[in-house]
Amino acid sequence: MSEQQFGRIALIGIGLIGSSIARAVKEKGLAGSVAIATRSPETLQRARELELGTEYHLDAAEAVRDADLIIVSVPVGASGSVAKEIAPNLKPGAIVTDVGSTKGSVVAQMLPHIPKGVHFIPGHPLAGTEHSGPDAGFAELFRGRWCILTPVHGTDKLAKKRLATFWETLGSKVDEMDTEHHDKVLAIVSHLPHIIAYNIVGTADDLETVTESEVIKYSASGFRDFTRLAASDPTMWRDVCLHNKDAILEMLARFSEDLAYLQRAIRWGDGEKLFDLFTRTRAIRRSIIDAGQDTAAANFGRPGDSPAE
Amino acid sequence: MSEQQFGRIALIGIGLIGSSIARAVKEKGLAGSVAIATRSPETLQRARELELGTEYHLDAAEAVRDADLIIVSVPVGASGSVAKEIAPNLKPGAIVTDVGSTKGSVVAQMLPHIPKGVHFIPGHPLAGTEHSGPDAGFAELFRGRWCILTPVHGTDKLAKKRLATFWETLGSKVDEMDTEHHDKVLAIVSHLPHIIAYNIVGTADDLETVTESEVIKYSASGFRDFTRLAASDPTMWRDVCLHNKDAILEMLARFSEDLAYLQRAIRWGDGEKLFDLFTRTRAIRRSIIDAGQDTAAANFGRPGDSPAE
Ligand SMILES: NC(=O)c1ccc[n+]([C@@H]2O[C@H](COP(=O)([O-])OP(=O)(O)OC[C@H]3O[C@@H](n4cnc5c(N)ncnc54)[C@H](OP(=O)(O)O)[C@@H]3O)[C@@H](O)[C@H]2O)c1
Ligand SMILES: NC(=O)c1ccc[n+]([C@@H]2O[C@H](COP(=O)([O-])OP(=O)(O)OC[C@H]3O[C@@H](n4cnc5c(N)ncnc54)[C@H](OP(=O)(O)O)[C@@H]3O)[C@@H](O)[C@H]2O)c1
């Protein structure tokens, strides 16, 4: 148990991210009470069965009443309507944050609804899995991962400090950047990889010369790595694409340009160019492993696919 | 221990694949003696220290003398010169196979050198990791994975049966197809994924607006998945690109066409198209997991990145 940090926390949205926060808050005793709201009775019922909070609401406005910290964990396209819904019941001095994967659009949607005296501090924990819903969450999800805050101009220092401490207690390291930079960084480290993964899986699915059952059988030779990202939640990723369009299109253009260069090297049999690129990319993986952001074990340490220890 | 299957096995090339075969052969007692050959004294010395065989040679021609089964496990670009080197010492009735990731080119390079009376049966175990060299191998590498044989016209049935049984004893399931189809299938399930992974890691490395250290720090949000494939051996992958050019260029063209369509959907905010694609790709992962070709655990079951059991 850590110390209680907030009298009352409200979690709006209780899927993978919301329920992981709920589990960590409970495990560490960070709040006196935890009000949970989600839009469907089924998800709410599941949250109740999992005992993720102390109160359960279908009405988000009810859940935020008297809350000191409100965390909105819904697809980014729904941020605006959630903000509008909860605004009338937000208590002065409360902190409102979110976990959305895009930030420029979330700020544009939510900020106009936030009443004076309420601290709105957008956030994004860079942690997740390909699974969704309240059952997919786990308390350790944020451990060793970064959480990026993108505070707007004039944000209260103390409120920001309290939110940063909250994420640190969940095991995260906290960074701060402006929304625009966040959206560019995420376009390359997260959005482009997901889009490319979805695309290649789609391509494989559409071929006439190679059957789907062949793709599935022989996937361990590389393809399967892409299917994990391509199995992520379609609503979340549709919203990310629609809400970080400019940065994503910029990264896609760069990617395609580089791919054309690589394609040309293959066509002309330029082994040296290929060798150079294939050598350069190795160093990045080494750095990621050294930074504690991936495992050094072969095949990601997949059970049965790497040397037994 | 299984039964001894060959009096004498020669392994030419003792990196990840060769040394995994060596370990499995030793563990299961599949051969009376195992002669190992590799081109560098350093790798040979390491093979000796790891006790991977019963004899060690720098001269591949020496190693194949009296061997009943010869397995060539070198980058595909070196297949021709190895075949030429060993040809004079191949014993009548011996089986020569390889493990190269491309097959049309390997057949074109090796077949002309194979003497009459020697059975040449090209093969490709669809199993691997991103690591190389004799230390990276492990006996279980082939377990539950497919091995594709691409026999040439008129191949001796008994020889083929013996080779298939050998791979099955190593835990593989054996399939047969013609070289051309193999090269198309592998272009989509393995070569394209590797090339795309190398490309995206290269793109990320080259940006001006996002630093390399940001890419590394925040990689757990998707990017890191690609860095595993992009950390594979540059020589092997240069050779694959040079030796399966036509099929790879065909798949690259399909991929780029699909990406242009996706890019357009993003530009025009066509949420429905995006949602459709992102939904369709989920089913493939499910099938891959059901086929035992990947783990269902979140994040590939990476230690610390998925719910504890
Ligand atoms: N998944 C990741 O890896 C990851 C990582 C970092 C950040 N994020 C961000 O975290 C947020 C939540 O993602 P998640 O993975 O937790 O999603 P999830 O598991 O699918 O859960 C989504 C939650 O939002 C609710 N919701 C869905 N559509 C809604 C709408 N139109 N209006 C109001 N509520 C709605 C759902 O309610 P019902 O079930 O009741 O319909 C559910 O409670 C997203 O903004 C995403 O970008 C995700
Ligand atoms: N890695 C995979 O995931 C995987 C999967 C399936 C099939 N394959 C195929 O398996 C084969 C071997 O791959 P690997 O991963 O085992 O490679 P590796 O670990 O890098 O080992 C390569 C072996 O080939 C030798 N070699 C390298 N260049 C050579 C040359 N020009 N002439 C003669 N010998 C040479 C090396 O000798 P020295 O160390 O003495 O120089 C070493 O013994 C390749 O054809 C590859 O396409 C690989």
Side-chain angles (χ1 to χ4, degrees):
Chain A
M1 291 284 261
S2 312
E3 229 168 281
Q4 182 177 313
Q5 295 179 351
F6 294 93
R8 184 176 177 80
I9 293 182
L11 301 175
I12 315 303
I14 196 72
L16 169 71
I17 302 296
S19 80
S20 294
I21 297 173
R23 285 174 170 93
V25 165
K26 186 174 173 182
E27 200 177 288
K28 295 179 189 292
L30 301 181
S33 61
V34 177
I36 286 172
T38 191
R39 105 194 129 140
S40 76
E42 297 73 29
T43 304
L44 195 66
Q45 176 54 22
R46 195 60 198 132
R48 204 191 301 263
E49 285 161 11
L50 294 166
E51 301 179 19
L52 295 175
T54 55
E55 279 173 40
Y56 303 87
H57 302 269
L58 281 174
D59 183 351
E62 280 306 314
V64 304
R65 211 185 282 281
D66 284 325
D68 305 288
L69 172 67
I70 297 95
I71 308 180
V72 177
S73 311
V74 302
V76 291
S79 323
S81 61
V82 167
K84 189 172 169 196
E85 207 183 326
I86 62 175
N89 286 359
L90 292 171
K91 154 172 113 171
I95 299 173
V96 175
T97 188
D98 79 308
V99 300
S101 304
T102 72
K103 296 269 65 83
S105 151
V106 166
V107 172
Q109 291 178 72
M110 293 185 76
L111 191 56
H113 298 290
I114 306 290
K116 263 212 162 63
V118 170
H119 308 291
F120 174 53
I121 311 172
H124 180 200
L126 304 196
T129 79
E130 67 276 28
H131 301 150
S132 321
D135 284 283
F138 53 104
E140 304 74 26
L141 178 64
F142 309 106
R143 207 187 280 163
R145 299 285 158 254
W146 290 91
C147 180
I148 301 178
L149 302 181
T150 61
V152 294
H153 185 70
T155 295
D156 183 76
K157 281 218 170 63
L158 184 64
K160 203 171 69 187
K161 181 88 190 63
R162 288 185 73 192
L163 183 59
T165 301
F166 174 79
W167 280 110
E168 281 160 8
T169 312
L170 265 49
S172 287
K173 300 174 276 190
V174 176
D175 255 352
E176 208 180 302
M177 55 179 82
D178 64 50
T179 54
E180 202 188 333
H181 189 61
H182 169 280
D183 287 355
K184 263 199 212 306
V185 171
L186 268 290
I188 185 71
V189 298
S190 177
H191 307 170
L192 185 63
H194 278 83
I195 289 167
I196 294 302
Y198 278 120
N199 193 66
I200 198 170
V201 175
T203 301
D205 196 28
D206 278 344
L207 295 173
E208 307 81 29
T209 47
V210 177
T211 67
E212 193 183 302
S213 90
E214 287 176 318
V215 169
I216 290 161
K217 270 168 86 171
Y218 307 132
S219 60
S221 47
F223 182 76
R224 63 175 174 169
D225 277 24
F226 290 69
T227 61
R228 187 185 82 78
L229 294 182
S232 301
D233 186 63
T235 305
M236 165 179 168
W237 284 99
R238 177 202 60 198
D239 279 12
V240 168
C241 288
L242 298 177
H243 290 269
N244 195 22
K245 185 166 107 169
D246 295 342
I248 288 174
L249 288 175
E250 183 188 330
M251 295 307 167
L252 267 172
R254 293 291 293 248
F255 173 86
S256 296
E257 196 177 303
D258 291 345
L259 192 60
Y261 176 86
L262 182 47
Q263 191 165 344
R264 199 168 180 279
I266 294 174
R267 188 177 304 281
W268 292 96
D270 189 338
E272 216 170 302
K273 271 212 186 92
L274 296 171
F275 189 83
D276 281 353
L277 171 64
F278 299 171
T279 306
R280 186 153 71 83
T281 50
R282 276 195 142 170
I284 295 197
R285 179 147 185 91
R286 175 65 22 228
S287 308
I288 287 174
I289 292 167
D290 291 345
Q293 297 299 316
D294 208 343
T295 172
N299 269 321
F300 301 121
R302 282 177 172 104
D305 277 307
S306 42
E309 293 301 296
Chain B
M1 290 284 261
S2 312
E3 229 170 281
Q4 181 177 313
Q5 296 179 350
F6 295 92
R8 185 178 177 77
I9 293 181
L11 301 174
I12 315 302
I14 194 73
L16 170 70
I17 302 296
S19 79
S20 293
I21 297 173
R23 285 174 170 92
V25 165
K26 186 176 172 179
E27 201 177 287
K28 295 180 188 291
L30 301 182
S33 61
V34 177
I36 287 172
T38 192
R39 102 193 132 145
S40 75
E42 297 73 28
T43 304
L44 195 66
Q45 176 54 23
R46 196 58 199 135
R48 204 191 300 265
E49 285 161 11
L50 294 167
E51 300 178 20
L52 295 175
T54 56
E55 281 171 38
Y56 303 88
H57 302 268
L58 282 174
D59 183 351
E62 281 306 314
V64 305
R65 210 186 282 281
D66 284 325
D68 305 288
L69 173 66
I70 297 96
I71 308 179
V72 178
S73 311
V74 302
V76 292
S79 321
S81 61
V82 167
K84 189 173 168 194
E85 207 183 327
I86 62 175
N89 287 358
L90 292 171
K91 153 172 116 173
I95 299 172
V96 175
T97 190
D98 79 308
V99 299
S101 305
T102 73
K103 295 269 65 84
S105 151
V106 165
V107 171
Q109 291 177 73
M110 294 186 76
L111 191 57
H113 298 290
I114 306 291
K116 265 214 160 65
V118 170
H119 308 292
F120 174 54
I121 310 171
H124 180 199
L126 305 197
T129 78
E130 67 275 28
H131 300 150
S132 322
D135 285 282
F138 53 104
E140 304 75 26
L141 178 64
F142 309 107
R143 208 187 280 163
R145 299 286 158 255
W146 289 91
C147 180
I148 300 178
L149 302 182
T150 62
V152 293
H153 185 70
T155 295
D156 183 76
K157 282 220 170 62
L158 183 64
K160 203 171 70 185
K161 180 89 191 59
R162 288 185 73 192
L163 184 58
T165 302
F166 174 79
W167 280 110
E168 281 161 8
T169 313
L170 266 49
S172 288
K173 300 174 275 189
V174 176
D175 255 352
E176 209 180 302
M177 56 178 81
D178 65 51
T179 54
E180 203 188 333
H181 189 60
H182 168 279
D183 287 356
K184 263 199 211 307
V185 171
L186 268 290
I188 186 69
V189 298
S190 177
H191 308 170
L192 185 64
H194 279 83
I195 289 167
I196 294 303
Y198 278 120
N199 192 67
I200 198 171
V201 176
T203 301
D205 196 28
D206 278 345
L207 295 172
E208 307 82 28
T209 47
V210 178
T211 67
E212 193 182 305
S213 91
E214 287 176 318
V215 169
I216 290 160
K217 270 168 86 170
Y218 307 132
S219 59
S221 48
F223 182 76
R224 63 176 174 169
D225 277 25
F226 290 69
T227 60
R228 187 185 83 78
L229 294 183
S232 302
D233 186 62
T235 305
M236 165 179 168
W237 284 99
R238 179 201 59 199
D239 279 12
V240 167
C241 288
L242 298 178
H243 290 269
N244 195 22
K245 185 166 108 171
D246 294 342
I248 289 174
L249 288 175
E250 184 188 327
M251 296 306 167
L252 267 172
R254 294 290 293 247
F255 173 87
S256 296
E257 196 177 302
D258 292 344
L259 192 61
Y261 176 86
L262 182 48
Q263 191 165 344
R264 198 166 181 281
I266 294 173
R267 187 176 304 280
W268 292 98
D270 190 338
E272 217 171 301
K273 271 211 186 93
L274 297 171
F275 189 83
D276 282 352
L277 171 64
F278 299 172
T279 306
R280 185 154 70 86
T281 51
R282 275 194 142 170
I284 295 197
R285 179 148 185 91
R286 174 71 16 233
S287 308
I288 288 174
I289 291 166
D290 291 345
Q293 297 299 316
D294 208 343
T295 172
N299 269 319
F300 302 121
R302 283 177 171 105
D305 277 307
S306 41
E309 293 302 295

